[in-house]
Amino acid sequence: MPDKLIIWDFDGVLADSEHLWVENWTDTLQKLYNFRLTPAQQKQYLEGKADKTKIELLARDFPQLKPEEKFWQILHQNENRLIAAELQLTENVEKILDDKTFAQCVATGATLEKHNKKTEKLGLNKYFTPNNTFTAYMVANGKPAPDIFLYAAEKMGFLPQDCLIIEDSLAGIKAAKAAGIPVIAYIGATGHNTAEYAEACRAAGAFAVSSKMTDVHQLIKKHFGISCTK
């Protein structure tokens, strides 16, 4: 029985998908409400956050913005199209998922319905079942609050010090730090593989940064003290 646990974020880590959802929100808000978010605001309000958190943050700072049923219909229609046509699995991530020297689970900001569509499309449902899948809708607060990571660790039967998180967003890295769980920043996704973003990840609390899953695999083993020959 493994005595260490990997907690995966999904979008931007297991799949190069975070930019798809940010663009979808940005475009839908602009088309329906003529509401424009700058690139900096997209990172602030949208990136790495659950839909419920996005709405909470936008409502706090832009009370005039009140998305209605039509917004959600269009948003979800676009999501389904993007999942079918553009969702891609991160290269070499399955080599880590196949590693049985540590336990693994996923902690995602997506709804369970959306998560299941993504895992089915990518063939990841063989790795992630209801027993090791946790969403922001199972806890009170989404990232950057630590709730989802602490919940995942507890449900999987691990203490925070025996866990390691793989994240791509600053909100997720801050959530990991707040949970007291070490975090590796994966920056191989679209728009993240820059020196500036790598530095921002370190400043947010990541102890290591990598743009390649082969390197992430070695960092995991080194952190857990697992021989690279295993």
Side-chain angles (χ1 to χ4, degrees):
M1 183 71 180
D3 60 359
K4 304 295 182 183
L5 173 69
I6 295 293
I7 304 176
W8 291 94
D9 176 45
F10 195 106
D11 293 303
V13 181
L14 292 170
D16 186 4
S17 50
E18 183 63 31
H19 70 289
L20 299 176
W21 318 137
V22 171
E23 291 167 7
N24 186 22
W25 267 76
T26 302
D27 292 346
T28 306
L29 287 171
Q30 183 169 339
K31 288 175 182 177
L32 281 184
Y33 306 111
N34 197 29
F35 182 83
R36 295 176 175 85
L37 289 170
T38 67
Q41 288 174 325
Q42 291 171 29
K43 286 188 175 295
Q44 179 182 355
Y45 293 103
L46 305 179
E47 193 168 285
K49 300 174 180 69
D51 285 354
K52 67 174 185 176
T53 306
K54 295 171 187 173
I55 285 294
E56 290 169 1
L57 294 175
L58 288 168
R60 180 194 68 193
D61 293 346
F62 306 98
Q64 76 278 15
L65 183 67
K66 297 179 180 179
E68 300 170 345
E69 184 177 352
K70 185 178 180 181
F71 169 82
W72 295 107
Q73 289 176 344
I74 294 174
L75 192 80
H76 293 152
Q77 286 172 0
N78 289 339
E79 285 177 350
N80 290 337
R81 173 180 56 80
L82 290 166
I83 289 170
E86 298 194 37
L87 199 65
Q88 294 185 356
L89 189 66
T90 298
E91 187 176 7
N92 291 316
V93 74
E94 285 188 290
K95 293 180 181 179
I96 307 178
L97 296 172
D98 285 329
D99 192 330
K100 305 303 182 186
T101 55
F102 37 79
Q104 304 188 52
C105 69
V106 62
T108 176
T111 63
L112 189 58
E113 180 183 7
K114 181 179 175 182
H115 171 79
N116 288 340
K117 289 177 181 177
K118 292 186 296 184
T119 55
E120 182 176 357
K121 167 65 189 307
L122 297 174
L124 293 179
N125 44 4
K126 63 184 177 182
Y127 299 109
F128 301 115
T129 70
N131 293 328
N132 66 340
T133 296
F134 309 99
T135 82
Y137 295 83
M138 298 176 180
V139 295
N141 304 296
K143 304 170 189 176
D147 302 29
I148 183 65
F149 291 138
L150 292 173
Y151 182 77
E154 179 184 3
K155 289 297 182 180
M156 292 293 292
F158 289 83
L159 296 173
Q161 59 264 35
D162 294 322
C163 300
L164 179 61
I165 291 167
I166 316 297
E167 259 287 356
D168 72 305
S169 72
L170 299 181
I173 293 168
K174 291 174 182 176
K177 184 177 181 181
I181 301 175
V183 55
I184 295 172
Y186 172 73
I187 62 167
T190 299
H192 282 173
N193 195 5
T194 67
E196 292 79 10
Y197 193 71
E199 183 55 36
C201 289
R202 292 188 181 93
F207 76 86
V209 179
S210 177
S211 62
K212 296 180 180 179
M213 278 298 168
T214 50
D215 293 339
V216 169
H217 200 177
Q218 297 308 307
L219 287 166
I220 292 170
K221 290 182 176 182
K222 182 178 179 181
H223 180 77
F224 285 154
I226 300 169
S227 171
C228 291
T229 61
K230 287 187 178 182

